[in-house]
Amino acid sequence: MTDKQKKVLYRIIATALLYAVLLVMEHIVKPAFMEQWYVTLVLFLIPYFVIGWDIMYKAVRNISHGQVFDENFLMLIATIGAFVVGEYSEGVAVMLFYQVGELFQSYAVNRSRQSITQLMDICPEYANLEEDGKVSQVDPDDVEVGSIIVVKPGERVPLDGIVIEGESMVDTSSLTGESVPRRVAKDSEIISGCVNGSGLLRVKTTKEFDDSTVTRILELVENASSKKAKAENFITKFAKYYTPVVVIGALLLAVIPPIIFGGNFFDWLQRACIFLVISCPCALVISVPLSFFGGIGAASASGILVKGGNYLEVAADLDTIVFDKTGTLTKGEFKVSEVQPSADKNNTIGKEELLEIAAYGEGYSNHPIANSIREAYGKTLSMERVTDTEEIAGHGIHTFIDGREVYLGNAKLMDAQNIAYTENKTAGTVVYVACNNVFAGSIVISDTVKEGSKDAIRDMKQVGVKKTVMLTGDRQAAADAVAAELGIDEVHAELLPADKVGQVEKLLGAQNEKERLAFVGDG
């Protein structure tokens, strides 16, 4: 709770105590000095001014700026009207309850803002600029395109760029939600906001700070409230016309009936004040945008960026949700689940040797799959046994271990090298191993499903999502196993990123105008 909110709370407590005492004095004790109406008026004005002085100030200030018909003005004339007709306690009560509601609203908004502020931590505070062989810390905003920056282990990348020297694993979870670190090396693109792992990187910047990924994300968060949903726009327009109609209606109610039908003028004035209080649109005007703002804040606290209330409103109409697998539905934490030597009768390599070969072959890699193989091997590696290691993008590794030529990778690598192999259909990621162009066996690395994924899929279907789809680059067997465990309706496996785009476009093309589709993940 902020200092401002605490002050309002203290005023509410003080007013409530004074109000309670005055009610007891007015209706139970009834001292002699309260027999005079003006004494009672003065006594009730004390808590009224304690709780309502800021409302009166806002109303007068807004009127001076040409903004007459707002909730402050309505509360002011309604409570003053209550005092005019002698309902002093009602005037104080209305203002007191209004301030209690305002305090709850302010607290809710502040909690949402704090959640959003936590997301701002992805913004880097400095950049290590390299000039003439010297490195100095500067503001990221002062770095020009084409400059060389140094990103040390553990530091947040300040600007988008291309790696010109170094190799490392970078944590992109704060930007993409992907739990598995991404490997970057020379000529790799790297985006601002992600955290460098264990390697030192020299990066040539390709964008200014104002155009960088992290800046665009922060702008989306800061401007989220400006993108209003249809319901918010309707309420704003509604209040613009509704408020003056209510004020004019109350004025007519106070004046016309006593003139036409007769009766006590103060009775009709009292009715007009009651009409003003119950017709005040503040609850309606506040509740709709507050609910969207609260939703955006709650989402940001869970690491979800909502670009605006209009997008939150669309999310309520989703009927198809497409998921990436690794790091989204699964943990992205890989463990060796099976070591299967070749069944060929001429094969002399057993389980332990097969795992040893794979561990040495993956000895220089920081990829999570490589880490899981080395972890399963569990022994210290003497890397002098390994020579001429080459990583084949999208396929695997080619290396020499103790003079033996070794290939480790997926089925595509075996096919590319014309190595006959036995397909392993076990669910999981399969690494095939070949020594001297002869298939030696396979190792299965399995990912585990995230806690809560199954419940999330079930809950989505209960609230109206008709179809869930999973897209993955993993093998069909592994994808089917995860889909069966989670209750996914449709699965597309062994996809490249471009293939995933194509599948999403097909799904979109099959929908009608009223249906909505969402994609979850960084695939």
Side-chain angles (χ1 to χ4, degrees), residues 476-514:
Q476 189 70 51
D480 289 339
V482 172
E485 182 177 350
L486 297 179
I488 298 289
D489 300 316
E490 187 175 320
V491 180
H492 300 277
E494 301 179 21
L495 302 175
L496 296 173
D499 299 329
K500 294 181 181 181
V501 174
Q503 288 292 341
V504 171
E505 289 176 344
K506 286 182 182 178
L507 291 167
L508 286 170
Q511 290 188 310
N512 60 45
E513 292 182 0
K514 293 183 179 180

Side-chain angles (χ1 to χ4, degrees), residues 228 231-232 235-236 283-295:
K228 297 184 181 295
E232 289 182 278
I235 291 299
T236 302
L284 182 63
V285 174
I286 290 170
S287 62
V288 175
L290 179 60
S291 62
F292 280 103
F293 190 80

Side-chain angles (χ1 to χ4, degrees), residues 65-66 113 155 168 173 215 219 289 408 467 520 522:
H65 293 162
R113 283 177 176 160
E155 288 186 335
S168 184
S173 58
T215 301
E219 285 176 353
L408 302 99
K467 183 167 70 172
V520 183
D522 68 332

Side-chain angles (χ1 to χ4, degrees), residues 243-447:
T243 306
V245 168
V246 167
V247 174
I248 295 171
L251 183 62
L252 295 175
L253 183 62
V255 175
I256 294 178
I259 295 176
I260 297 178
F261 305 109
N264 192 313
F265 173 76
F266 285 101
D267 288 342
W268 286 105
L269 181 59
Q270 185 180 29
R271 290 169 183 153
C273 291
I274 294 171
F275 175 74
L276 271 179
V277 172
I278 64 173
S279 301
C280 181
C282 57
L284 182 63
V285 174
I286 290 170
S287 62
V288 175
L290 179 60
S291 62
F292 280 103
F293 190 80
I296 292 170
S300 66
S302 300
I304 303 168
L305 170 63
V306 181
K307 294 168 65 178
N310 52 336
Y311 299 101
L312 199 61
E313 189 176 48
V314 169
D317 299 325
L318 290 174
D319 50 29
T320 301
I321 300 185
V322 184
F323 297 92
D324 191 29
K325 183 177 78 70
T326 305
T328 302
L329 296 174
T330 61
K331 293 180 179 180
E333 298 174 357
F334 300 97
K335 294 184 181 298
V336 172
S337 59
E338 180 183 301
V339 179
Q340 184 64 53
S342 171
D344 190 295
K345 61 182 180 180
N346 296 320
N347 178 50
T348 59
I349 297 176
K351 284 187 177 182
E352 291 186 8
E353 187 178 0
L354 181 63
L355 185 59
E356 179 183 24
I357 292 171
Y360 274 95
E362 300 279 11
Y364 290 112
S365 176
N366 289 323
H367 193 279
I369 289 178
N371 293 336
S372 67
I373 292 176
R374 291 197 300 270
E375 183 181 340
Y377 179 58
K379 299 178 183 178
T380 303
L381 300 177
S382 302
M383 293 307 294
E384 64 272 9
R385 294 172 56 186
V386 183
T387 57
D388 300 326
T389 298
E390 174 192 6
E391 184 167 335
I392 304 171
H395 289 73
I397 290 173
H398 175 219
T399 188
F400 289 84
I401 303 172
D402 297 331
R404 290 187 295 181
E405 186 178 23
V406 175
Y407 284 97
L408 302 99
N410 54 26
K412 295 177 183 177
L413 179 63
M414 298 294 107
D415 292 335
Q417 300 303 319
N418 295 317
I419 298 172
Y421 66 97
T422 302
E423 184 180 2
N424 191 323
K425 296 183 179 181
T426 306
T429 299
V430 179
V431 176
Y432 294 101
V433 182
C435 293
N436 294 328
N437 289 320
V438 177
F439 178 62
S442 59
I443 297 173
V444 180
I445 296 95
S446 299
D447 194 1

Side-chain angles (χ1 to χ4, degrees), residues 3-49:
D3 291 339
K4 184 178 180 180
Q5 290 169 345
K6 289 179 180 178
K7 291 178 180 178
V8 174
L9 178 60
Y10 297 151
R11 286 167 53 203
I12 289 173
I13 294 172
T15 301
L17 292 174
L18 286 171
Y19 182 62
V21 171
L22 289 174
L23 284 179
V24 171
M25 292 173 63
E26 183 181 30
H27 298 289
I28 300 176
V29 179
K30 198 67 175 180
F33 62 85
M34 289 190 71
E35 295 293 338
Q36 304 296 325
W37 67 268
Y38 53 84
V39 175
T40 305
L41 171 62
V42 171
L43 289 175
F44 274 100
L45 280 175
I46 295 172
Y48 178 78
F49 282 116

